[in-house]
């Protein structure tokens, strides 16, 4: 599984090098999938995964029936600190409510299933699906607060979070998958351990910000 992830990482890097080496600029069209996979010497399924991540990161624009075009020559930049601060505040409040009111066993089982899927997708190098699963894990935690305002506010930042997390994967030399942190966060919620849950929420944000440092 680690080999799959490494291959996608390598393909993302090679695509960025290809764009730079060929002096492609915004609006330029990439070769078709068959030609590009031969040029990069990579399988088409791996290439598709790399393209998805670069699309989520606003580097590529995939137009069905037309082709794939350069959208930006570098990954988009977000107001990282403000975005992650907002995520942290909402998640800490959700944890407080879960600790105070408890949780339904069914909700915790669903959270565990999402966590397993998240970790498996990341290990397999299926980055675009991993980002979706990671967001689902955090959203489920917010849902378990049963506070409609927290849920609504979290929904409002999900699009930016998706783009941000995709962008982080492009920083391959310093990207940390945070799997251990998420596992510990889950067990802290399971045991209604507030201090450990909050610690891992903060560690998750610190690690995400560290990629940009």
């Amino acid at each position: 599984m680690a080999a799959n992830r490494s291959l996608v990482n390598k393909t993302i890097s090679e695509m960025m090098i290809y764009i730079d080496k060929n002096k492609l600029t915004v609006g330029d069209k990439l070769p078709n999938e068959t030609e590009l996979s031969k040029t990069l010497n990579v399988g088409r399924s791996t290439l598709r995964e790399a393209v998805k991540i670069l699309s989520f990161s606003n580097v590529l624009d995939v137009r069905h029936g037309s082709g794939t075009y350069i959208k930006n020559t570098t990954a988009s930049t977000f107001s990282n600190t403000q975005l992650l601060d907002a995520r942290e505040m909402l998640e800490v409040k959700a944890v407080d409510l879960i600790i105070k009111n408890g949780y339904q066993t069914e909700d915790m089982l669903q959270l565990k299933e999402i966590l397993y899927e998240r970790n498996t997708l990341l290990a397999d190098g299926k980055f675009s699906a991993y980002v979706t699963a990671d967001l689902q894990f955090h959203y489920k935690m917010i849902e378990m607060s049963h506070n409609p305002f927290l849920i609504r506010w979290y929904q409002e930042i999900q699009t930016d979070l998706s783009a941000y997390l995709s962008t982080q994967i492009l920083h391959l030399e310093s990207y940390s998958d945070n799997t251990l942190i998420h596992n510990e966060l889950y067990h802290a919620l399971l045991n209604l351990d507030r201090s450990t849950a909050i610690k891992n929420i903060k560690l998750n944000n610190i690690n995400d910000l560290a990629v940009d440092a």
Side-chain angles (χ1 to χ4, degrees):
M1 290 191 297
N4 290 339
R5 179 181 171 188
S6 177
L7 186 55
V8 175
N9 281 348
K10 184 172 181 289
T11 303
I12 291 172
S13 293
E14 289 181 349
M15 288 188 69
M16 297 298 288
I17 292 170
Y18 176 89
I19 291 170
D20 182 63
K21 182 178 178 180
N22 289 275
K23 296 180 170 52
L24 299 180
T25 60
V26 175
D28 287 344
K29 184 178 180 179
L30 286 177
N32 62 45
E33 187 178 271
T34 301
E35 183 180 345
L36 192 56
S37 64
K38 288 180 180 178
T39 299
L40 300 178
N41 192 29
V42 67
R44 294 173 70 173
S45 61
T46 302
L47 178 63
R48 289 190 197 110
E49 185 62 32
V51 168
K52 284 180 183 178
I53 288 297
L54 289 169
S55 175
F56 285 0
S57 303
N58 288 322
V59 173
L60 299 180
D61 179 17
V62 179
R63 305 175 191 173
H64 297 292
S66 177
T68 301
Y69 297 81
I70 307 299
K71 189 173 184 180
N72 288 291
T73 52
T74 58
S76 297
T77 301
F78 292 87
S79 179
N80 304 335
T81 302
Q82 291 179 343
L83 176 62
L84 296 184
D85 280 351
R87 180 180 70 175
E88 180 178 315
M89 286 188 290
L90 293 173
E91 291 181 353
V92 166
K93 184 59 181 177
V95 166
D96 284 338
L97 291 172
I98 293 169
I99 300 298
K100 177 182 177 181
N101 301 320
Y103 56 78
Q104 298 294 320
T105 301
E106 182 180 351
D107 284 335
M108 192 57 71
L109 288 173
Q110 290 176 2
L111 189 65
K112 183 177 181 179
E113 290 173 1
I114 296 168
L115 176 63
Y116 175 79
E117 180 181 17
R118 172 205 181 275
N119 295 347
T120 301
L121 289 168
L122 180 59
D124 285 346
K126 298 178 180 178
F127 290 141
S128 56
Y130 149 72
V131 169
T132 299
D134 184 78
L135 289 169
Q136 288 175 342
F137 175 84
H138 289 273
Y139 180 67
K140 181 61 182 179
M141 185 171 68
I142 297 293
E143 264 193 334
M144 288 171 61
S145 73
H146 298 292
N147 184 303
F149 294 102
L150 288 184
I151 294 170
R152 184 197 306 170
W153 294 331
Y154 205 85
Q155 288 172 338
E156 289 180 358
I157 66 172
Q158 275 193 309
T159 299
D160 284 344
L161 283 171
S162 177
Y164 178 80
L165 291 173
S166 297
T167 301
Q168 301 320 292
I169 294 172
L170 300 182
H171 300 273
L172 302 177
E173 71 285 352
S174 56
Y175 179 70
S176 171
D177 63 41
N178 296 347
T179 294
L180 179 60
I181 289 173
H182 283 74
N183 290 342
E184 291 186 353
L185 174 56
Y186 165 77
H187 285 291
L189 291 173
L190 182 66
N191 297 319
L192 297 178
D193 180 351
R194 182 186 186 277
S195 63
T196 302
I198 300 303
K199 180 190 76 173
N200 282 283
I201 286 172
K202 291 181 179 297
L203 282 175
N204 188 43
N205 277 8
I206 290 169
N207 279 9
D208 283 347
L209 279 172
V211 177
D212 292 322

